[in-house]
């Protein structure tokens, strides 16, 4: 029986392939989309704080 690939190994291989097949613009675009969806809105309805707010609090809740 063949050994199964671990999740860690599968993730690493997938990340390496993505890095090989995509350029800097791809990563900038997905980063922008993530920032847009996350926003800096401290009045979020999902109960999560923005990175900006977390930085201001310095780890305090």
């Amino acid at each position: 029986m063949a050994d199964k690939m671990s999740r860690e190994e599968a993730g690493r291989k997938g990340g390496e392939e993505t890095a090989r097949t995509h350029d800097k613009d791809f990563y900038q675009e997905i980063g922008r989309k993530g920032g847009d969806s996350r926003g800096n809105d401290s009045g979020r309805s999902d109960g999560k704080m923005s990175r900006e707010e977390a930085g201001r609090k310095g780890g305090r809740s």
Side-chain angles (χ1 to χ4, degrees):
M1 181 165 83
D3 291 327
K4 290 187 177 180
M5 185 183 308
S6 70
R7 287 183 182 165
E8 180 181 335
E9 186 179 2
R12 183 177 58 254
K13 287 179 75 173
E16 288 170 355
E17 181 65 14
T18 301
R20 189 180 71 74
T21 58
H22 292 82
D23 60 6
K24 179 180 174 182
D25 292 336
F26 169 78
Y27 288 102
Q28 288 177 335
E29 178 68 13
I30 61 173
R32 185 193 58 77
K33 287 179 180 180
D36 288 349
S37 73
R38 186 75 178 121
N40 283 326
D41 182 15
S42 61
R44 297 176 61 86
S45 62
D46 62 2
K48 297 178 182 176
M49 71 175 76
S50 69
R51 288 184 180 195
E52 184 179 285
E53 183 179 0
R56 281 195 310 268
K57 289 185 173 188
R60 296 182 301 273
S61 39

